Amino acid sequence: MEILQVIPGKTQVTIRTDQGNFSFFGVSDRIMRVVYTKKETVENESLMIESAVYENPRPLKTEECDDRVTVYGGRIKAVFSKKDGSVVWTDAASGSVWLREGRKELCEEEVARFTTGDEAPVVRRVKTVDGERSFIENLKRVVDRTA
């Protein structure tokens, strides 16, 4: 993996590589969000983090060495390997390792949703050994975006 550019910001750090972009966001003292993508821009939004948490983002600090980029944010330290894109997540104060992520291979996938369109749902009820299940028979798969 070749690092093309490290772009530090106040609450976001982006590492551009020949295989995609890694964007780190300082969400709070205890939350640092990272997004791996081939897209050029990344919005700091997540369905897993409540929007109220984003109101006071945590500043990030970076240090770059020959073999790694270290991102500090609150109680979190993330060490990004320039060799393979792996990330080691640690406690910034004690250095204890929380998680070791391996190398990444980015590929786009379709994100789909299911809809009946403007039709009323056609519901089929089936009795099973553990109760009754309902199925909507006229659902159609619609590609919403790629991620």
Side-chain angles (χ1 to χ4, degrees), residues 6-7 14 16 35 39 51 60 80-81 90 111 113 129:
V6 177
I7 306 167
T14 300
R16 296 196 187 279
V35 177
K39 295 182 180 178
S51 58
L60 298 179
F80 177 88
S81 169
T90 65
V111 177
R113 59 184 174 84
V129 294

Side-chain angles (χ1 to χ4, degrees), residues 10-123:
K10 184 176 180 181
T11 61
Q12 177 182 351
V13 174
T14 300
I15 301 171
R16 296 196 187 279
T17 75
D18 58 343
Q19 297 177 19
N21 298 318
F22 297 77
S23 293
F24 295 81
F25 297 92
V27 179
S28 74
D29 194 45
R30 297 175 184 226
I31 301 173
M32 186 185 301
R33 180 172 178 253
V34 64
V35 177
Y36 314 116
T37 183
K38 288 188 176 184
K39 295 182 180 178
E40 286 299 314
T41 59
V42 177
E43 303 246 347
N44 189 12
E45 57 184 51
S46 171
L47 298 175
M48 297 178 68
I49 303 172
E50 293 180 14
S51 58
V53 175
Y54 287 109
E55 290 176 4
N56 297 307
R58 182 73 184 174
L60 298 179
K61 185 180 116 186
T62 58
E63 291 178 0
E64 188 172 358
C65 299
D66 290 340
D67 62 341
R68 66 188 176 279
V69 177
T70 305
V71 181
Y72 298 91
R75 298 184 57 189
I76 304 168
K77 176 176 139 181
V79 181
F80 177 88
S81 169
K82 289 183 174 181
K83 179 181 178 186
D84 60 6
S86 62
V87 179
V88 177
W89 298 88
T90 65
D91 182 284
S94 70
S96 63
V97 175
W98 293 336
L99 174 70
R100 292 181 194 274
E101 292 185 53
R103 62 181 288 279
K104 287 111 183 113
E105 185 175 321
L106 301 171
C107 57
E108 287 191 357
E109 292 288 329
E110 291 181 343
V111 177
R113 59 184 174 84
F114 293 86
T115 180
T116 62
D118 292 332
E119 302 173 18
V122 177
V123 180

